[in-house]
Amino acid sequence: MDLIGRLMPLRSAYCKRRQREFTIHDCHDFPNEQFQGASLAVVGNAGYLSDLPQGEQIDRHDLVLRMNNFRVEGFEASVGHRTDIFLTNFFTDINFQNPIAREATFVVGSIPNNFLQTQGIRHRGIQHITRGMKQLGHREVYVP
């Protein structure tokens, strides 16, 4: 057996142990009742947003959702400054040190389809998810 073949079970066991450090909720368990009737601003990452002075309007919403590598610093007048929901795919290029993402109340993440609540995540993507959650400093994530 080659070196990679011998290391894979160790890496898998390590990731399974790390995923126990946080709680993975089904999106159906999202606390919808507390947001009944709330307004939601979904703010994308397009560069042309910097030309639109909508920051105040965005921040007036009850909830603000941002995705992956959003930037707020220096663009507050255009995109606002709040983030209540951080939606991420947990890829390796995401900046999980972004202070605005770390301050988000909720993290919603895409997790591979083979997610099973009773057996945990069985996919190499768990490495990215556990790393991202650890860097975000969050202990709970909602997944589809």
Side-chain angles (χ1 to χ4, degrees):
M1 184 184 291
D2 65 346
L3 180 61
I4 300 292
R6 289 187 303 214
L7 290 178
M8 288 304 286
L10 290 174
R11 185 174 3 186
S12 177
Y14 171 74
C15 289
K16 282 182 187 255
R17 184 178 59 77
R18 278 189 67 186
Q19 82 182 26
R20 290 188 206 125
E21 296 175 14
F22 55 90
T23 305
I24 303 170
H25 299 285
D26 187 284
C27 273
H28 293 93
D29 297 330
F30 196 80
N32 294 322
E33 62 281 348
Q34 77 185 63
F35 302 117
Q36 208 69 347
S39 62
L40 171 68
V42 178
V43 185
N45 301 329
Y48 70 84
L49 291 174
S50 64
D51 297 334
L52 305 173
Q54 298 193 23
E56 286 183 30
Q57 182 179 356
I58 289 168
D59 285 339
R60 272 185 285 195
H61 284 78
D62 299 317
L63 296 167
V64 177
L65 179 144
R66 298 183 195 273
M67 298 161 262
N68 287 328
N69 276 335
F70 66 89
R71 289 191 349 190
V72 170
E73 190 175 327
F75 300 101
E76 292 87 346
S78 301
V79 299
H81 71 276
R82 281 189 26 241
T83 299
D84 302 297
I85 303 170
F86 176 48
L87 175 65
T88 181
N89 56 18
F90 288 105
F91 285 165
T92 56
D93 63 341
I94 307 301
N95 176 14
F96 294 109
Q97 299 300 319
N98 181 337
I100 306 294
R102 293 176 61 108
E103 294 170 9
T105 306
F106 299 100
V107 176
V108 177
S110 60
I111 289 187
N113 289 334
N114 61 0
F115 168 72
L116 298 173
Q117 190 73 3
T118 56
Q119 296 178 10
I121 301 168
R122 297 178 296 158
H123 186 273
R124 69 181 192 185
I126 187 62
Q127 298 165 29
H128 305 301
I129 296 163
T130 54
R131 179 187 53 81
M133 290 298 289
K134 191 108 175 145
Q135 289 180 7
L136 279 171
H138 278 261
R139 299 190 59 82
E140 294 183 292
V141 61
Y142 291 86
V143 299

